[in-house]
Amino acid sequence: MSTDPEARRRRLEPAARRAEILAAARRLFGEGTYASVSTSDIAKAAGVARPLINHYFGGKRELYLEVVRQMMIVPAPVIENLPETTAEERLAISVRHWIEVVERNEQAWLTAIGTEAVGRDPDIERIMLEGDEIAADRVLAAALMSDVTEGREELRAMIRSYGGMLRAASREWLVRGTLGRDELRVFLTDSILHLLRVTYPAVLASRSAGRRPPASSPSSV
């Protein structure tokens, strides 16, 4: 049996080959910019022929969009594999996992969220919106609140807003250095718990109060 690394590389299954290309693209786009990275650069880093990039992704832009999607959307297995424990512990684990992923892919993450500051690209905006919707589903699942019905849309809106805060907080950690890793973990965990335990019930209460008829004036005798 051949031990030639190139021979082993040629025998990779399509899914593994695609993952290699994505990993190379994630690293290169993180280190450079969309304009500075070519498909030839990515092909060389992944150890594949350039036409394979078109075969698996359609081109450089589609590959870049897939890198952004990977960074913005929490994989389902992260939530599916959470232990059967309290919502608090499940959310704490989810936050720790997110921090670990961002830490391993720091430059790619900053590149992905940096697109928010660039001109409005409809494809990037669509991925961001998709990511926010999926993240809301995954937070509710982690918090054991998937079956919530009352005030559900308001709750999802608050969780989506939390996602924007999360991205801003990651810049404070990675770019400005104003938050340490542990401080970020505590901040994000406590914030989502407060949102679910305090803010969401308060919103429901304010809705109920708004629906109550005004108190009758005392009748004159």
Side-chain angles (χ1 to χ4, degrees), residues 25-74:
R26 187 167 58 243
R27 177 170 58 80
L28 292 178
F29 284 132
E31 293 172 352
T33 64
Y34 177 79
S36 69
V37 176
S38 69
T39 52
S40 296
D41 295 332
I42 297 168
K44 182 178 179 181
V48 302
R50 190 171 63 175
L52 275 182
I53 293 177
N54 293 335
H55 172 72
Y56 285 113
F57 297 96
K60 174 181 162 182
R61 176 171 171 78
E62 290 78 9
L63 176 54
Y64 176 71
L65 292 175
E66 185 58 28
V67 168
V68 174
R69 187 191 319 282
Q70 269 200 338
M71 295 305 304
M72 297 307 302
I73 296 179
V74 179

mmCIF file of all heavy atoms in Angstrom, residues 25-74:
data_model
loop_
_atom_site.group_PDB
_atom_site.id
_atom_site.type_symbol
_atom_site.label_atom_id
_atom_site.label_comp_id
_atom_site.label_asym_id
_atom_site.label_seq_id
_atom_site.Cartn_x
_atom_site.Cartn_y
_atom_site.Cartn_z
ATOM 1 N N ALA A 25 -9.403 28.063 2.449
ATOM 2 C CA ALA A 25 -9.999 29.368 2.137
ATOM 3 C C ALA A 25 -10.241 30.173 3.400
ATOM 4 O O ALA A 25 -9.995 31.386 3.438
ATOM 5 C CB ALA A 25 -11.305 29.162 1.379
ATOM 6 N N ARG A 26 -10.721 29.513 4.452
ATOM 7 C CA ARG A 26 -10.986 30.203 5.719
ATOM 8 C C ARG A 26 -9.699 30.821 6.255
ATOM 9 O O ARG A 26 -9.685 31.967 6.708
ATOM 10 C CB ARG A 26 -11.571 29.212 6.726
ATOM 11 C CG ARG A 26 -12.044 29.872 8.009
ATOM 12 C CD ARG A 26 -12.905 28.908 8.826
ATOM 13 N NE ARG A 26 -12.193 27.682 9.159
ATOM 14 C CZ ARG A 26 -12.543 26.479 8.749
ATOM 15 N NH1 ARG A 26 -13.599 26.313 7.973
ATOM 16 N NH2 ARG A 26 -11.852 25.401 9.098
ATOM 17 N N ARG A 27 -8.609 30.079 6.173
ATOM 18 C CA ARG A 27 -7.324 30.596 6.671
ATOM 19 C C ARG A 27 -6.831 31.759 5.810
ATOM 20 O O ARG A 27 -6.420 32.799 6.335
ATOM 21 C CB ARG A 27 -6.291 29.472 6.690
ATOM 22 C CG ARG A 27 -4.898 29.914 7.136
ATOM 23 C CD ARG A 27 -3.991 28.715 7.361
ATOM 24 N NE ARG A 27 -3.865 27.899 6.173
ATOM 25 C CZ ARG A 27 -3.063 28.174 5.132
ATOM 26 N NH1 ARG A 27 -2.326 29.300 5.160
ATOM 27 N NH2 ARG A 27 -2.983 27.376 4.105
ATOM 28 N N LEU A 28 -6.881 31.608 4.499
ATOM 29 C CA LEU A 28 -6.338 32.643 3.608
ATOM 30 C C LEU A 28 -7.190 33.912 3.631
ATOM 31 O O LEU A 28 -6.648 35.020 3.657
ATOM 32 C CB LEU A 28 -6.228 32.101 2.181
ATOM 33 C CG LEU A 28 -5.173 31.005 1.979
ATOM 34 C CD1 LEU A 28 -5.192 30.500 0.544
ATOM 35 C CD2 LEU A 28 -3.775 31.515 2.338
ATOM 36 N N PHE A 29 -8.510 33.766 3.621
ATOM 37 C CA PHE A 29 -9.354 34.959 3.696
ATOM 38 C C PHE A 29 -9.176 35.650 5.043
ATOM 39 O O PHE A 29 -9.305 36.871 5.141
ATOM 40 C CB PHE A 29 -10.824 34.596 3.484
ATOM 41 C CG PHE A 29 -11.194 34.313 2.047
ATOM 42 C CD1 PHE A 29 -11.926 33.189 1.717
ATOM 43 C CD2 PHE A 29 -10.804 35.184 1.031
ATOM 44 C CE1 PHE A 29 -12.269 32.928 0.391
ATOM 45 C CE2 PHE A 29 -11.138 34.928 -0.291
ATOM 46 C CZ PHE A 29 -11.877 33.798 -0.613
ATOM 47 N N GLY A 30 -8.897 34.872 6.089
ATOM 48 C CA GLY A 30 -8.654 35.458 7.393
ATOM 49 C C GLY A 30 -7.359 36.241 7.437
ATOM 50 O O GLY A 30 -7.269 37.290 8.079
ATOM 51 N N GLU A 31 -6.347 35.728 6.744
ATOM 52 C CA GLU A 31 -5.033 36.384 6.738
ATOM 53 C C GLU A 31 -4.988 37.579 5.792
ATOM 54 O O GLU A 31 -4.219 38.513 6.001
ATOM 55 C CB GLU A 31 -3.950 35.377 6.335
ATOM 56 C CG GLU A 31 -3.744 34.265 7.357
ATOM 57 C CD GLU A 31 -2.816 33.174 6.850
ATOM 58 O OE1 GLU A 31 -2.458 33.210 5.649
ATOM 59 O OE2 GLU A 31 -2.452 32.288 7.647
ATOM 60 N N GLY A 32 -5.784 37.523 4.734
ATOM 61 C CA GLY A 32 -5.769 38.591 3.742
ATOM 62 C C GLY A 32 -7.137 39.224 3.580
ATOM 63 O O GLY A 32 -7.868 39.410 4.544
ATOM 64 N N THR A 33 -7.472 39.552 2.349
ATOM 65 C CA THR A 33 -8.780 40.109 2.043
ATOM 66 C C THR A 33 -9.355 39.333 0.866
ATOM 67 O O THR A 33 -8.649 38.555 0.215
ATOM 68 C CB THR A 33 -8.679 41.591 1.646
ATOM 69 O OG1 THR A 33 -7.921 41.699 0.423
ATOM 70 C CG2 THR A 33 -7.992 42.410 2.733
ATOM 71 N N TYR A 34 -10.623 39.591 0.591
ATOM 72 C CA TYR A 34 -11.240 38.904 -0.542
ATOM 73 C C TYR A 34 -10.470 39.207 -1.825
ATOM 74 O O TYR A 34 -10.199 38.317 -2.634
ATOM 75 C CB TYR A 34 -12.693 39.354 -0.686
ATOM 76 C CG TYR A 34 -13.383 38.752 -1.889
ATOM 77 C CD1 TYR A 34 -13.861 37.450 -1.864
ATOM 78 C CD2 TYR A 34 -13.536 39.494 -3.067
ATOM 79 C CE1 TYR A 34 -14.480 36.889 -2.965
ATOM 80 C CE2 TYR A 34 -14.149 38.947 -4.175
ATOM 81 C CZ TYR A 34 -14.622 37.644 -4.124
ATOM 82 O OH TYR A 34 -15.220 37.086 -5.218
ATOM 83 N N ALA A 35 -10.085 40.473 -2.007
ATOM 84 C CA ALA A 35 -9.407 40.870 -3.241
ATOM 85 C C ALA A 35 -7.993 40.303 -3.334
ATOM 86 O O ALA A 35 -7.505 40.011 -4.430
ATOM 87 C CB ALA A 35 -9.375 42.389 -3.346
ATOM 88 N N SER A 36 -7.339 40.151 -2.188
ATOM 89 C CA SER A 36 -5.930 39.738 -2.226
ATOM 90 C C SER A 36 -5.737 38.231 -2.366
ATOM 91 O O SER A 36 -4.632 37.772 -2.653
ATOM 92 C CB SER A 36 -5.205 40.221 -0.959
ATOM 93 O OG SER A 36 -5.675 39.521 0.181
ATOM 94 N N VAL A 37 -6.787 37.460 -2.155
ATOM 95 C CA VAL A 37 -6.680 36.000 -2.217
ATOM 96 C C VAL A 37 -7.250 35.518 -3.548
ATOM 97 O O VAL A 37 -8.376 35.875 -3.913
ATOM 98 C CB VAL A 37 -7.457 35.339 -1.055
ATOM 99 C CG1 VAL A 37 -7.426 33.818 -1.181
ATOM 100 C CG2 VAL A 37 -6.866 35.771 0.282
ATOM 101 N N SER A 38 -6.482 34.724 -4.272
ATOM 102 C CA SER A 38 -6.926 34.199 -5.564
ATOM 103 C C SER A 38 -7.323 32.736 -5.435
ATOM 104 O O SER A 38 -6.964 32.066 -4.462
ATOM 105 C CB SER A 38 -5.816 34.335 -6.607
ATOM 106 O OG SER A 38 -4.740 33.451 -6.292
ATOM 107 N N THR A 39 -8.045 32.256 -6.422
ATOM 108 C CA THR A 39 -8.390 30.836 -6.424
ATOM 109 C C THR A 39 -7.128 29.982 -6.541
ATOM 110 O O THR A 39 -7.082 28.872 -6.003
ATOM 111 C CB THR A 39 -9.354 30.504 -7.578
ATOM 112 O OG1 THR A 39 -8.820 31.000 -8.808
ATOM 113 C CG2 THR A 39 -10.716 31.112 -7.327
ATOM 114 N N SER A 40 -6.110 30.493 -7.223
ATOM 115 C CA SER A 40 -4.837 29.762 -7.311
ATOM 116 C C SER A 40 -4.198 29.623 -5.933
ATOM 117 O O SER A 40 -3.654 28.573 -5.589
ATOM 118 C CB SER A 40 -3.878 30.479 -8.262
ATOM 119 O OG SER A 40 -4.377 30.483 -9.574
ATOM 120 N N ASP A 41 -4.258 30.710 -5.134
ATOM 121 C CA ASP A 41 -3.721 30.661 -3.765
ATOM 122 C C ASP A 41 -4.438 29.585 -2.948
ATOM 123 O O ASP A 41 -3.806 28.802 -2.222
ATOM 124 C CB ASP A 41 -3.903 32.012 -3.073
ATOM 125 C CG ASP A 41 -3.105 33.123 -3.713
ATOM 126 O OD1 ASP A 41 -2.049 32.831 -4.301
ATOM 127 O OD2 ASP A 41 -3.561 34.285 -3.643
ATOM 128 N N ILE A 42 -5.758 29.570 -3.063
ATOM 129 C CA ILE A 42 -6.551 28.614 -2.281
ATOM 130 C C ILE A 42 -6.263 27.188 -2.739
ATOM 131 O O ILE A 42 -6.091 26.277 -1.921
ATOM 132 C CB ILE A 42 -8.052 28.932 -2.408
ATOM 133 C CG1 ILE A 42 -8.333 30.321 -1.827
ATOM 134 C CG2 ILE A 42 -8.887 27.878 -1.686
ATOM 135 C CD1 ILE A 42 -9.704 30.860 -2.161
ATOM 136 N N ALA A 43 -6.197 26.997 -4.052
ATOM 137 C CA ALA A 43 -5.929 25.658 -4.584
ATOM 138 C C ALA A 43 -4.564 25.156 -4.117
ATOM 139 O O ALA A 43 -4.424 23.996 -3.703
ATOM 140 C CB ALA A 43 -5.987 25.685 -6.111
ATOM 141 N N LYS A 44 -3.575 26.041 -4.137
ATOM 142 C CA LYS A 44 -2.236 25.649 -3.695
ATOM 143 C C LYS A 44 -2.234 25.286 -2.212
ATOM 144 O O LYS A 44 -1.645 24.278 -1.795
ATOM 145 C CB LYS A 44 -1.246 26.783 -3.955
ATOM 146 C CG LYS A 44 0.191 26.451 -3.573
ATOM 147 C CD LYS A 44 1.122 27.608 -3.914
ATOM 148 C CE LYS A 44 2.563 27.286 -3.513
ATOM 149 N NZ LYS A 44 3.467 28.422 -3.810
ATOM 150 N N ALA A 45 -2.902 26.108 -1.397
ATOM 151 C CA ALA A 45 -2.939 25.844 0.048
ATOM 152 C C ALA A 45 -3.675 24.551 0.359
ATOM 153 O O ALA A 45 -3.342 23.850 1.318
ATOM 154 C CB ALA A 45 -3.600 27.016 0.764
ATOM 155 N N ALA A 46 -4.700 24.234 -0.448
ATOM 156 C CA ALA A 46 -5.483 23.014 -0.217
ATOM 157 C C ALA A 46 -4.868 21.798 -0.892
ATOM 158 O O ALA A 46 -5.306 20.664 -0.645
ATOM 159 C CB ALA A 46 -6.908 23.213 -0.725
ATOM 160 N N GLY A 47 -3.867 22.017 -1.746
ATOM 161 C CA GLY A 47 -3.227 20.902 -2.438
ATOM 162 C C GLY A 47 -4.110 20.280 -3.505
ATOM 163 O O GLY A 47 -4.095 19.053 -3.686
ATOM 164 N N VAL A 48 -4.899 21.133 -4.185
ATOM 165 C CA VAL A 48 -5.795 20.627 -5.226
ATOM 166 C C VAL A 48 -5.587 21.433 -6.501
ATOM 167 O O VAL A 48 -4.971 22.504 -6.497
ATOM 168 C CB VAL A 48 -7.278 20.715 -4.804
ATOM 169 C CG1 VAL A 48 -7.517 19.941 -3.515
ATOM 170 C CG2 VAL A 48 -7.714 22.175 -4.639
ATOM 171 N N ALA A 49 -6.116 20.916 -7.588
ATOM 172 C CA ALA A 49 -6.098 21.657 -8.845
ATOM 173 C C ALA A 49 -7.150 22.755 -8.785
ATOM 174 O O ALA A 49 -8.223 22.578 -8.202
ATOM 175 C CB ALA A 49 -6.384 20.720 -10.012
ATOM 176 N N ARG A 50 -6.857 23.899 -9.385
ATOM 177 C CA ARG A 50 -7.776 25.034 -9.314
ATOM 178 C C ARG A 50 -9.178 24.714 -9.827
ATOM 179 O O ARG A 50 -10.163 25.191 -9.237
ATOM 180 C CB ARG A 50 -7.192 26.227 -10.068
ATOM 181 C CG ARG A 50 -7.964 27.508 -9.834
ATOM 182 C CD ARG A 50 -7.265 28.706 -10.411
ATOM 183 N NE ARG A 50 -7.140 28.604 -11.865
ATOM 184 C CZ ARG A 50 -6.648 29.573 -12.631
ATOM 185 N NH1 ARG A 50 -6.202 30.690 -12.080
ATOM 186 N NH2 ARG A 50 -6.568 29.426 -13.934
ATOM 187 N N PRO A 51 -9.338 23.928 -10.910
ATOM 188 C CA PRO A 51 -10.703 23.621 -11.373
ATOM 189 C C PRO A 51 -11.584 22.952 -10.317
ATOM 190 O O PRO A 51 -12.813 23.034 -10.397
ATOM 191 C CB PRO A 51 -10.468 22.685 -12.566
ATOM 192 C CG PRO A 51 -9.121 23.080 -13.082
ATOM 193 C CD PRO A 51 -8.322 23.418 -11.849
ATOM 194 N N LEU A 52 -10.956 22.305 -9.319
ATOM 195 C CA LEU A 52 -11.767 21.664 -8.282
ATOM 196 C C LEU A 52 -12.538 22.688 -7.445
ATOM 197 O O LEU A 52 -13.606 22.383 -6.913
ATOM 198 C CB LEU A 52 -10.895 20.804 -7.372
ATOM 199 C CG LEU A 52 -10.603 19.380 -7.859
ATOM 200 C CD1 LEU A 52 -9.772 18.629 -6.841
ATOM 201 C CD2 LEU A 52 -11.903 18.628 -8.148
ATOM 202 N N ILE A 53 -11.997 23.888 -7.329
ATOM 203 C CA ILE A 53 -12.705 24.922 -6.579
ATOM 204 C C ILE A 53 -14.008 25.271 -7.292
ATOM 205 O O ILE A 53 -15.063 25.382 -6.663
ATOM 206 C CB ILE A 53 -11.813 26.165 -6.400
ATOM 207 C CG1 ILE A 53 -10.629 25.817 -5.484
ATOM 208 C CG2 ILE A 53 -12.614 27.338 -5.826
ATOM 209 C CD1 ILE A 53 -9.638 26.919 -5.291
ATOM 210 N N ASN A 54 -13.926 25.420 -8.604
ATOM 211 C CA ASN A 54 -15.145 25.675 -9.370
ATOM 212 C C ASN A 54 -16.093 24.487 -9.297
ATOM 213 O O ASN A 54 -17.314 24.653 -9.223
ATOM 214 C CB ASN A 54 -14.803 25.977 -10.828
ATOM 215 C CG ASN A 54 -14.058 27.289 -10.978
ATOM 216 O OD1 ASN A 54 -14.183 28.186 -10.146
ATOM 217 N ND2 ASN A 54 -13.270 27.411 -12.029
ATOM 218 N N HIS A 55 -15.522 23.276 -9.299
ATOM 219 C CA HIS A 55 -16.345 22.066 -9.256
ATOM 220 C C HIS A 55 -17.161 21.984 -7.965
ATOM 221 O O HIS A 55 -18.360 21.686 -7.984
ATOM 222 C CB HIS A 55 -15.458 20.840 -9.392
ATOM 223 C CG HIS A 55 -16.180 19.539 -9.171
ATOM 224 N ND1 HIS A 55 -17.077 19.027 -10.090
ATOM 225 C CD2 HIS A 55 -16.161 18.664 -8.135
ATOM 226 C CE1 HIS A 55 -17.572 17.888 -9.626
ATOM 227 N NE2 HIS A 55 -17.026 17.652 -8.445
ATOM 228 N N TYR A 56 -16.509 22.281 -6.836
ATOM 229 C CA TYR A 56 -17.185 22.135 -5.544
ATOM 230 C C TYR A 56 -17.975 23.373 -5.128
ATOM 231 O O TYR A 56 -18.958 23.254 -4.389
ATOM 232 C CB TYR A 56 -16.167 21.805 -4.457
ATOM 233 C CG TYR A 56 -15.679 20.378 -4.504
ATOM 234 C CD1 TYR A 56 -14.359 20.076 -4.834
ATOM 235 C CD2 TYR A 56 -16.541 19.317 -4.234
ATOM 236 C CE1 TYR A 56 -13.917 18.767 -4.879
ATOM 237 C CE2 TYR A 56 -16.100 18.005 -4.279
ATOM 238 C CZ TYR A 56 -14.786 17.736 -4.600
ATOM 239 O OH TYR A 56 -14.362 16.438 -4.652
ATOM 240 N N PHE A 57 -17.536 24.555 -5.574
ATOM 241 C CA PHE A 57 -18.160 25.773 -5.061
ATOM 242 C C PHE A 57 -18.701 26.708 -6.136
ATOM 243 O O PHE A 57 -19.498 27.585 -5.832
ATOM 244 C CB PHE A 57 -17.163 26.542 -4.184
ATOM 245 C CG PHE A 57 -16.745 25.771 -2.971
ATOM 246 C CD1 PHE A 57 -15.570 25.030 -2.973
ATOM 247 C CD2 PHE A 57 -17.526 25.754 -1.824
ATOM 248 C CE1 PHE A 57 -15.184 24.295 -1.861
ATOM 249 C CE2 PHE A 57 -17.148 25.032 -0.714
ATOM 250 C CZ PHE A 57 -15.972 24.292 -0.728
ATOM 251 N N GLY A 58 -18.251 26.553 -7.361
ATOM 252 C CA GLY A 58 -18.724 27.423 -8.434
ATOM 253 C C GLY A 58 -17.814 28.598 -8.723
ATOM 254 O O GLY A 58 -17.893 29.211 -9.781
ATOM 255 N N GLY A 59 -16.934 28.935 -7.787
ATOM 256 C CA GLY A 59 -16.016 30.051 -8.005
ATOM 257 C C GLY A 59 -15.580 30.668 -6.697
ATOM 258 O O GLY A 59 -15.998 30.252 -5.607
ATOM 259 N N LYS A 60 -14.749 31.685 -6.795
ATOM 260 C CA LYS A 60 -14.170 32.317 -5.608
ATOM 261 C C LYS A 60 -15.248 32.978 -4.742
ATOM 262 O O LYS A 60 -15.232 32.843 -3.513
ATOM 263 C CB LYS A 60 -13.130 33.346 -6.049
ATOM 264 C CG LYS A 60 -12.551 34.191 -4.915
ATOM 265 C CD LYS A 60 -11.551 35.181 -5.469
ATOM 266 C CE LYS A 60 -11.271 36.308 -4.502
ATOM 267 N NZ LYS A 60 -10.332 37.299 -5.049
ATOM 268 N N ARG A 61 -16.175 33.697 -5.369
ATOM 269 C CA ARG A 61 -17.191 34.393 -4.574
ATOM 270 C C ARG A 61 -18.049 33.406 -3.802
ATOM 271 O O ARG A 61 -18.330 33.596 -2.612
ATOM 272 C CB ARG A 61 -18.066 35.260 -5.476
ATOM 273 C CG ARG A 61 -19.201 35.934 -4.701
ATOM 274 C CD ARG A 61 -19.933 36.952 -5.535
ATOM 275 N NE ARG A 61 -21.124 37.426 -4.853
ATOM 276 C CZ ARG A 61 -21.126 38.313 -3.862
ATOM 277 N NH1 ARG A 61 -19.973 38.808 -3.431
ATOM 278 N NH2 ARG A 61 -22.250 38.697 -3.299
ATOM 279 N N GLU A 62 -18.472 32.337 -4.474
ATOM 280 C CA GLU A 62 -19.309 31.340 -3.807
ATOM 281 C C GLU A 62 -18.557 30.678 -2.659
ATOM 282 O O GLU A 62 -19.136 30.388 -1.610
ATOM 283 C CB GLU A 62 -19.778 30.294 -4.813
ATOM 284 C CG GLU A 62 -20.787 30.795 -5.839
ATOM 285 C CD GLU A 62 -20.153 31.600 -6.963
ATOM 286 O OE1 GLU A 62 -18.903 31.631 -7.045
ATOM 287 O OE2 GLU A 62 -20.900 32.189 -7.759
ATOM 288 N N LEU A 63 -17.268 30.465 -2.853
ATOM 289 C CA LEU A 63 -16.444 29.882 -1.791
ATOM 290 C C LEU A 63 -16.337 30.851 -0.619
ATOM 291 O O LEU A 63 -16.449 30.455 0.553
ATOM 292 C CB LEU A 63 -15.054 29.543 -2.333
ATOM 293 C CG LEU A 63 -14.021 29.015 -1.332
ATOM 294 C CD1 LEU A 63 -14.546 27.806 -0.576
ATOM 295 C CD2 LEU A 63 -12.716 28.672 -2.056
ATOM 296 N N TYR A 64 -16.142 32.131 -0.912
ATOM 297 C CA TYR A 64 -16.065 33.137 0.145
ATOM 298 C C TYR A 64 -17.370 33.202 0.934
ATOM 299 O O TYR A 64 -17.358 33.259 2.171
ATOM 300 C CB TYR A 64 -15.754 34.503 -0.468
ATOM 301 C CG TYR A 64 -15.737 35.626 0.537
ATOM 302 C CD1 TYR A 64 -14.706 35.735 1.468
ATOM 303 C CD2 TYR A 64 -16.745 36.586 0.573
ATOM 304 C CE1 TYR A 64 -14.679 36.760 2.405
ATOM 305 C CE2 TYR A 64 -16.734 37.611 1.501
ATOM 306 C CZ TYR A 64 -15.697 37.692 2.414
ATOM 307 O OH TYR A 64 -15.673 38.707 3.339
ATOM 308 N N LEU A 65 -18.486 33.163 0.221
ATOM 309 C CA LEU A 65 -19.783 33.198 0.900
ATOM 310 C C LEU A 65 -19.969 31.980 1.799
ATOM 311 O O LEU A 65 -20.544 32.081 2.882
ATOM 312 C CB LEU A 65 -20.916 33.271 -0.134
ATOM 313 C CG LEU A 65 -21.015 34.575 -0.924
ATOM 314 C CD1 LEU A 65 -22.093 34.459 -1.994
ATOM 315 C CD2 LEU A 65 -21.288 35.768 -0.017
ATOM 316 N N GLU A 66 -19.458 30.839 1.371
ATOM 317 C CA GLU A 66 -19.563 29.633 2.185
ATOM 318 C C GLU A 66 -18.694 29.754 3.442
ATOM 319 O O GLU A 66 -19.074 29.280 4.519
ATOM 320 C CB GLU A 66 -19.165 28.398 1.378
ATOM 321 C CG GLU A 66 -19.360 27.084 2.110
ATOM 322 C CD GLU A 66 -20.798 26.855 2.559
ATOM 323 O OE1 GLU A 66 -21.736 27.375 1.907
ATOM 324 O OE2 GLU A 66 -21.000 26.151 3.574
ATOM 325 N N VAL A 67 -17.537 30.399 3.321
ATOM 326 C CA VAL A 67 -16.691 30.642 4.494
ATOM 327 C C VAL A 67 -17.440 31.522 5.492
ATOM 328 O O VAL A 67 -17.455 31.245 6.693
ATOM 329 C CB VAL A 67 -15.356 31.306 4.074
ATOM 330 C CG1 VAL A 67 -14.609 31.840 5.299
ATOM 331 C CG2 VAL A 67 -14.480 30.310 3.324
ATOM 332 N N VAL A 68 -18.071 32.588 4.992
ATOM 333 C CA VAL A 68 -18.842 33.469 5.871
ATOM 334 C C VAL A 68 -19.974 32.691 6.531
ATOM 335 O O VAL A 68 -20.210 32.795 7.736
ATOM 336 C CB VAL A 68 -19.403 34.676 5.087
ATOM 337 C CG1 VAL A 68 -20.338 35.508 5.973
ATOM 338 C CG2 VAL A 68 -18.264 35.539 4.562
ATOM 339 N N ARG A 69 -20.683 31.868 5.739
ATOM 340 C CA ARG A 69 -21.794 31.084 6.290
ATOM 341 C C ARG A 69 -21.309 30.149 7.391
ATOM 342 O O ARG A 69 -21.942 30.009 8.425
ATOM 343 C CB ARG A 69 -22.449 30.268 5.166
ATOM 344 C CG ARG A 69 -23.729 29.543 5.614
ATOM 345 C CD ARG A 69 -24.186 28.540 4.561
ATOM 346 N NE ARG A 69 -24.059 29.054 3.220
ATOM 347 C CZ ARG A 69 -24.901 29.906 2.637
ATOM 348 N NH1 ARG A 69 -25.897 30.302 3.263
ATOM 349 N NH2 ARG A 69 -24.712 30.341 1.418
ATOM 350 N N GLN A 70 -20.179 29.495 7.166
ATOM 351 C CA GLN A 70 -19.627 28.573 8.172
ATOM 352 C C GLN A 70 -19.366 29.275 9.491
ATOM 353 O O GLN A 70 -19.617 28.728 10.561
ATOM 354 C CB GLN A 70 -18.316 27.960 7.669
ATOM 355 C CG GLN A 70 -18.456 26.670 6.917
ATOM 356 C CD GLN A 70 -17.140 25.921 6.910
ATOM 357 O OE1 GLN A 70 -16.070 26.495 7.088
ATOM 358 N NE2 GLN A 70 -17.211 24.636 6.705
ATOM 359 N N MET A 71 -18.852 30.503 9.419
ATOM 360 C CA MET A 71 -18.507 31.222 10.639
ATOM 361 C C MET A 71 -19.734 31.789 11.339
ATOM 362 O O MET A 71 -19.739 31.956 12.549
ATOM 363 C CB MET A 71 -17.523 32.360 10.322
ATOM 364 C CG MET A 71 -16.170 31.891 9.821
ATOM 365 S SD MET A 71 -15.360 30.719 10.949
ATOM 366 C CE MET A 71 -15.331 31.629 12.470
ATOM 367 N N MET A 72 -20.798 32.077 10.582
ATOM 368 C CA MET A 72 -21.946 32.756 11.170
ATOM 369 C C MET A 72 -23.010 31.812 11.706
ATOM 370 O O MET A 72 -23.840 32.208 12.516
ATOM 371 C CB MET A 72 -22.593 33.684 10.127
ATOM 372 C CG MET A 72 -21.694 34.811 9.654
ATOM 373 S SD MET A 72 -20.988 35.805 10.994
ATOM 374 C CE MET A 72 -22.459 36.372 11.818
ATOM 375 N N ILE A 73 -23.032 30.572 11.247
ATOM 376 C CA ILE A 73 -24.114 29.660 11.616
ATOM 377 C C ILE A 73 -23.601 28.580 12.560
ATOM 378 O O ILE A 73 -22.684 27.823 12.227
ATOM 379 C CB ILE A 73 -24.755 29.033 10.363
ATOM 380 C CG1 ILE A 73 -25.408 30.137 9.527
ATOM 381 C CG2 ILE A 73 -25.763 27.960 10.738
ATOM 382 C CD1 ILE A 73 -26.052 29.671 8.250
ATOM 383 N N VAL A 74 -24.180 28.517 13.751
ATOM 384 C CA VAL A 74 -23.796 27.508 14.747
ATOM 385 C C VAL A 74 -24.233 26.132 14.251
ATOM 386 O O VAL A 74 -25.405 25.929 13.944
ATOM 387 C CB VAL A 74 -24.472 27.791 16.107
ATOM 388 C CG1 VAL A 74 -24.092 26.724 17.123
ATOM 389 C CG2 VAL A 74 -24.089 29.171 16.605
#
